[in-house]
Amino acid sequence: MIPTIEQASLEEITHYQDEKLRYVLNYLNTHSTYYKRLFQREGVDLQRIHGVQDLPLLPTTSKEQLQQFNWDFLCVPEEEIVDFSTTSGTLGTPVVFGLTDADLERLAYNEMISFQRVGIKKGDRVQIMTTLDRRFMAGLAYFLGLRKIGAGILRIGAGIPQMQWDSIQQFKPKFLVVVPSFLLKMIAYAEEHNIDYNSSSVKVAICIGENLRTAELQDNQLAKRIQEKWNIALYSTYASTEMSSAFTECEAFAGGHQHPALIITEILDDNDHPVPDGQLGELVVTTLGIEAMPLLRYKTGDMVRRHAGPCTCGRNSYRIGPVEGRKQQMIKYKGTTLFPPAMFDVLASYTAIEHYQIEISSTAVGTDDIRILISSKQQNSALLKEIKDSFQAKLRVIPNVEFEREEILISRIYNPLSRKPIYLVDKRE
């Protein structure tokens, strides 16, 4: 079922969001210590804000401000908070987000319509192969959304291919929620243990945390490697704790659809000016329908492209392409600007690479340096040269590439204190 607002005309969607924005502004001015103070300091006249087109008249909010004034963003009494979620802390101190009962219901609705977009319906079995604990909002959201649909949920959690396959063989789920690179480990385990994965019950994987598409919305190397082996549909979904909303692909695989009832988005350049559709910019969000900690013009740091125009699935809401990088993780290396996901895609094309981690550091003269550690059974100079040649051909840079022992890399990538695999270590100040 497609929400009515997503099939409405662009004019109707804009009018709808204009009304929602005005409500959010009045709500923040009444209940948020942080935004009330910000509006007064910046001399914001809310009477001048009539709708989405007036967003540039309002100040933006950064991650640093969230970290510094975390609890000043709270709009309800603390006793109304029923769940405490935190960001992953990838770019600094984790931020706490409190959710009310109504916020949890909104979170469930968001995931319900996201999962319905990929075909999940009542009675389908879905195996969740991601972190469910440690105040991770996404794991909670998946459970709540699937429960709202009426699906059968298998809460396995992250890692351990044997346990995942045991559950698949016993309960026969059709859908997986998974970090896509882990599917390669599932395939390797199946081949080592004579499991016919193409004859298994699994037909669809909803993939989080890593890109499946290029900037042109074509399958990237990771997606190709998976589907060369395993005949399953791969849907990409992108979200963050700050947004409490997801952008999930439909069957057109042409970007993740916006939920107009839940979020207003802008794509801005370095000077906070809108970029044309299809061009790279920073995703800036205004959340709708959140009670506890709504955000106004929050700069996510994620670099994306917006794709407008009607989709073949019948939705008129625009789509967001893959996260091509995080603004704070931009690398300037020997005259070339690049983001880590582009390097991940080069490394994903090599079946000989079993594990990898990229280190970014500063040189003595203040420039960026790249060091890539890999583990492989083929530890020879020919492989290193081939990888460097591939980087030069695709990204016009030649990073330092070194072999590292597998056990050392595994311990660094899968740190028990982290909710996500650590493929990038940024040592720059």
Side-chain angles (χ1 to χ4, degrees):
M1 179 184 297
I2 302 176
T4 303
I5 188 61
E6 295 188 22
Q7 294 179 296
S9 68
L10 295 180
E11 292 77 15
E12 290 171 322
I13 291 175
T14 299
H15 178 70
Y16 175 89
Q17 292 201 319
D18 287 345
E19 291 185 354
K20 292 291 186 181
L21 176 61
R22 291 193 293 269
Y23 176 84
V24 167
L25 290 173
N26 289 326
Y27 184 82
L28 291 173
N29 197 44
T30 302
H31 299 287
S32 170
T33 300
Y34 175 81
Y35 282 110
K36 190 184 307 181
R37 184 171 65 231
L38 180 66
F39 293 161
Q40 291 174 351
R41 188 180 71 236
E42 298 293 328
V44 173
D45 181 3
L46 295 184
Q47 299 303 314
R48 296 181 59 198
I49 311 301
H50 303 291
V52 174
Q53 75 279 1
D54 297 321
L55 280 170
L57 299 176
L58 297 166
T60 59
T61 300
S62 69
K63 183 66 168 280
E64 291 73 24
Q65 290 161 337
L66 259 180
Q67 291 167 330
Q68 186 177 358
F69 305 108
N70 198 165
W71 287 108
D72 284 353
F73 285 83
L74 188 64
C75 293
V76 299
E78 287 191 34
E79 57 267 25
E80 292 188 23
I81 301 301
V82 297
D83 181 81
F84 293 88
S85 294
T86 56
T87 59
S88 62
T90 303
L91 296 179
T93 305
V95 174
V96 178
F97 275 84
L99 290 86
T100 66
D101 193 60
D103 290 339
L104 287 180
E105 179 60 30
R106 176 191 177 280
L107 192 64
Y109 173 75
N110 165 77
E111 289 301 335
M112 178 188 75
I113 59 178
S114 295
F115 284 139
Q116 287 174 334
R117 185 166 295 157
V118 306
I120 299 176
K121 59 184 183 301
K122 181 179 176 63
D124 284 331
R125 292 183 182 177
V126 184
Q127 186 155 313
I128 302 178
M129 302 166 58
T130 64
T131 302
L132 294 166
D133 52 7
R134 300 192 230 176
R135 301 190 304 275
F136 187 39
M137 183 185 286
L140 173 66
Y142 303 145
F143 175 81
L144 293 175
L146 293 170
R147 180 175 179 269
K148 197 170 182 66
I149 290 174
I153 308 168
L154 301 167
R155 294 177 289 108
I156 307 301
I160 315 178
Q162 179 180 351
M163 185 169 62
Q164 304 291 350
W165 276 118
D166 287 347
S167 178
I168 291 170
Q169 291 174 319
Q170 180 179 358
F171 296 100
K172 297 179 170 47
K174 180 180 178 181
F175 299 86
L176 306 178
V177 180
V178 62
V179 175
S181 60
F182 187 71
L183 292 174
L184 295 175
K185 294 180 173 56
M186 293 283 289
I187 292 169
Y189 181 90
E191 290 178 341
E192 290 172 8
H193 294 83
N194 298 314
I195 297 173
D196 185 359
Y197 46 89
N198 275 309
S199 296
S200 73
S201 61
V202 176
K203 304 302 176 189
V204 177
I206 301 98
C207 297
I208 72 162
E210 296 171 342
N211 290 342
L212 292 174
R213 315 290 173 227
T214 65
E216 296 76 30
L217 301 181
Q218 302 299 309
D219 287 350
N220 65 11
Q221 293 297 328
L222 177 58
K224 289 177 181 177
R225 279 189 61 191
I226 295 167
Q227 293 187 307
E228 283 170 0
K229 293 268 191 174
W230 199 351
N231 184 28
I232 56 175
L234 302 176
Y235 287 85
S236 181
T237 184
Y238 155 65
S240 72
T241 301
E242 295 92 333
M243 296 190 299
S244 290
S245 305
F247 296 83
T248 305
E249 290 181 326
C250 67
E251 60 271 19
F253 303 105
H257 280 276
Q258 175 215 28
H259 296 320
L262 303 180
I263 197 165
I264 297 170
T265 64
E266 306 167 78
I267 313 294
L268 305 181
D269 63 18
D270 289 341
N271 297 312
D272 291 345
H273 296 143
V275 302
D277 287 342
Q279 289 194 16
L280 190 66
E282 181 179 9
L283 178 65
V284 177
V285 302
T286 296
T287 56
L288 303 175
I290 291 180
E291 281 188 343
M293 297 181 72
L295 296 177
L296 174 68
R297 300 198 80 201
Y298 174 72
K299 304 180 82 169
T300 65
D302 292 336
M303 305 299 290
V304 302
R305 302 172 197 265
R306 184 167 72 178
H307 301 272
C311 183
T312 55
C313 71
R315 295 173 178 86
N316 291 322
S317 55
Y318 58 75
R319 285 101 53 212
I320 297 295
V323 177
E324 297 178 40
R326 307 199 73 168
K327 196 169 186 178
Q328 290 175 262
Q329 293 175 342
M330 183 174 69
I331 304 163
K332 293 185 177 180
Y333 185 68
K334 297 181 179 178
T336 299
T337 298
L338 68 158
F339 290 100
M343 294 190 286
F344 297 159
D345 196 44
V346 173
L347 295 168
S349 66
Y350 284 89
T351 57
I353 297 177
E354 296 176 324
H355 303 280
Y356 67 82
Q357 189 176 71
I358 299 173
E359 287 184 354
I360 311 299
S361 59
S362 298
T363 66
V365 295
T367 59
D368 294 340
D369 193 33
I370 303 172
R371 177 174 177 243
I372 300 176
L373 303 175
I374 64 171
S375 66
S376 173
K377 292 184 173 63
Q378 302 176 26
Q379 293 204 16
N380 54 63
S381 58
L383 177 60
L384 292 182
K385 182 179 185 305
E386 185 180 347
I387 294 170
K388 290 179 180 181
D389 288 347
S390 184
F391 269 95
Q392 185 176 37
K394 295 177 180 179
L395 302 181
R396 302 191 304 278
V397 299
I398 305 177
N400 300 310
V401 185
E402 305 171 16
F403 289 114
E404 182 58 275
R405 295 208 311 271
E406 181 180 27
E407 61 271 22
I408 292 177
L409 265 186
I410 289 175
S411 67
R412 293 179 57 168
I413 296 169
Y414 302 102
N415 188 320
L417 298 179
S418 175
R419 297 189 308 216
K420 302 176 182 178
I422 303 172
Y423 296 117
L424 177 75
V425 177
D426 194 340
K427 296 182 175 181
R428 296 173 297 182
E429 294 184 358

